[in-house]
Amino acid sequence: MLAALALAVGAAGCGGAAAEGAGAPGGAGSGRELTVGAVAAELEAMSGPLIEGREATFRDILADTVAKDAYLCLPSPRGVFHGDAPEGERRIAGMMPHYGLFFGPMSYLVRRRGGAWEVEARIAVDPPAGAGGRLELPDCGLAAALGGAIACRGTPYSRAGSTDACPGSGEFSASATPAAIRALLARWSAEVEGYWNRDARAFGLPVRYDFDFVLADEARGRSLRVDLSVPLSPTCGRTPYFSAMRAGWSLPVLAHEVGHVLGLLDEYEALSGIVGCYPKTPFPGAEISRMGLSMREQTRLLPVHHYLVLRRFFCREPASTDPYAGAIR
């Protein structure tokens, strides 16, 4: 599938400009640069039996993501997670190419403090225009916060057994009042990061994620750093993360979409699910991954995903915002 990229990055991406990243912000506390194969071997050891039989797919995902990234370095995963990295923080920002068709923004803050990592992302939304509309929801999770002022009939996404991002297994909605929108954003802020933190703990990785969903007007009024600013769509639908955050998306789907804000790519066949049916088809073996099968509660963010987010802390600042500039020579 993508094995040729692994060889190309291993041969080119770890020398030249990439090796110069030792003097980059964050330094090279993990030590020397590695090849893609050596990085993958360390990540496989951290992943344990969960990826047995799936190693080739996740090596390809690693190689493909690094090949498309303007941040050029391959530090040791053991060094990244458990090494003596210098304390400090760094804003990561740029673009990542999706399917070779469009570029999507990535932006987040990564901080090293007290021997552990913190990753922050803030997403600002503009509420739907007008008054009197409704917010489509994935379940009854806002019932308590809204005092029962919510339509809640049918089977929520978590029990529907569907792999559709918008399963249509019931009717869940609330009036699009300011109170409902605030409750929705508060729920997202409290629970979406939980998938990332759950999986980091499961693999013994010293990283904590903090995702904050805020109203755009409030972010501007408080001069908050914003990593992505998009409309809040009142419906559910299959649209790119940088076009809207959708009220009808489930928490697992939102955890997947935030992965794109952190610079991760989709792990399913590019043209699957476009004509006639859904869901998209994960790469063989990637059905266990949050980036491969987003809507399932039990899919995971693996060590490779946490590594791809954190490793940029050690890389030289890109000379270009073009993700392909210098990635493969």
Side-chain angles (χ1 to χ4, degrees):
M1 179 172 45
L2 304 168
L5 287 175
L7 295 176
V9 177
C14 298
E20 295 170 13
S30 60
R32 62 187 176 85
E33 294 274 322
L34 301 182
T35 65
V36 167
V39 168
E42 289 190 15
L43 292 169
E44 288 159 12
M46 295 177 184
S47 303
L50 185 62
I51 66 166
E52 285 182 2
R54 301 177 172 93
E55 293 89 347
T57 287
F58 288 104
R59 286 190 177 215
D60 285 349
I61 288 166
L62 170 68
D64 184 46
T65 305
V66 172
K68 292 174 177 175
D69 199 335
Y71 286 84
L72 297 175
C73 69
L74 277 173
S76 157
R78 292 192 190 99
V80 168
F81 292 123
H82 305 297
D84 187 21
E87 299 208 342
E89 67 178 38
R90 187 175 181 192
R91 174 83 178 274
I92 303 297
M95 306 284 284
M96 288 294 286
H98 297 260
Y99 318 127
L101 300 175
F102 59 84
F103 289 87
M106 71 171 176
S107 177
Y108 57 97
L109 186 73
V110 58
R111 180 184 298 115
R112 178 75 172 181
R113 183 164 58 185
W117 295 102
E118 301 169 3
V119 176
E120 298 179 2
R122 181 175 292 114
I123 298 172
V125 301
D126 286 298
R134 294 192 69 79
L135 296 174
E136 184 178 350
L137 302 171
D139 55 27
C140 305
L142 292 183
L146 299 180
I150 181 174
C152 180
R153 292 181 288 273
T155 304
Y157 77 91
S158 60
R159 299 200 306 269
S162 172
T163 52
D164 196 320
C166 304
S169 55
E171 181 185 352
F172 310 97
S173 66
S175 295
T177 63
I181 291 171
R182 287 180 183 279
L184 180 68
L185 298 183
R187 186 188 186 201
W188 288 357
S189 298
E191 298 193 36
V192 172
E193 66 192 38
Y195 292 92
W196 287 76
N197 290 325
R198 175 199 70 181
D199 296 342
R201 288 192 302 269
F203 294 106
L205 305 179
V207 53
R208 182 182 64 83
Y209 294 90
D210 182 9
F211 303 147
D212 195 15
F213 295 84
V214 299
L215 289 167
D217 282 347
E218 292 187 2
R220 287 189 288 267
R222 296 166 57 191
S223 299
L224 296 176
R225 187 198 87 252
V226 170
D227 295 297
L228 181 69
S229 184
V230 291
L232 173 64
S233 168
T235 65
C236 187
R238 307 176 198 114
T239 51
Y241 69 101
F242 52 81
S243 66
M245 290 285 129
R246 292 185 168 268
W249 282 345
S250 69
L251 298 172
V253 167
L254 283 160
H256 168 101
E257 300 303 332
V258 174
H260 292 317
V261 181
L262 302 186
L264 299 182
L265 302 177
D266 286 314
E267 296 168 9
Y268 45 70
E269 303 297 339
L271 300 180
S272 64
I274 292 178
V275 179
C277 64
Y278 205 82
K280 295 180 179 292
T281 304
F283 297 146
E287 68 280 354
I288 66 169
S289 167
R290 176 69 58 211
M291 303 310 295
L293 195 58
S294 62
M295 63 292 300
R296 289 284 174 85
E297 292 276 352
Q298 67 271 26
T299 55
R300 296 282 179 171
L301 291 146
L302 302 167
V304 63
H305 302 119
H306 303 284
Y307 170 79
L308 287 168
V309 170
L310 293 178
R311 74 169 184 89
R312 299 185 182 106
F313 182 86
F314 298 93
C315 298
R316 190 183 190 91
E317 193 67 23
S320 168
T321 57
D322 177 4
Y324 293 115
I328 300 179
R329 290 176 171 82

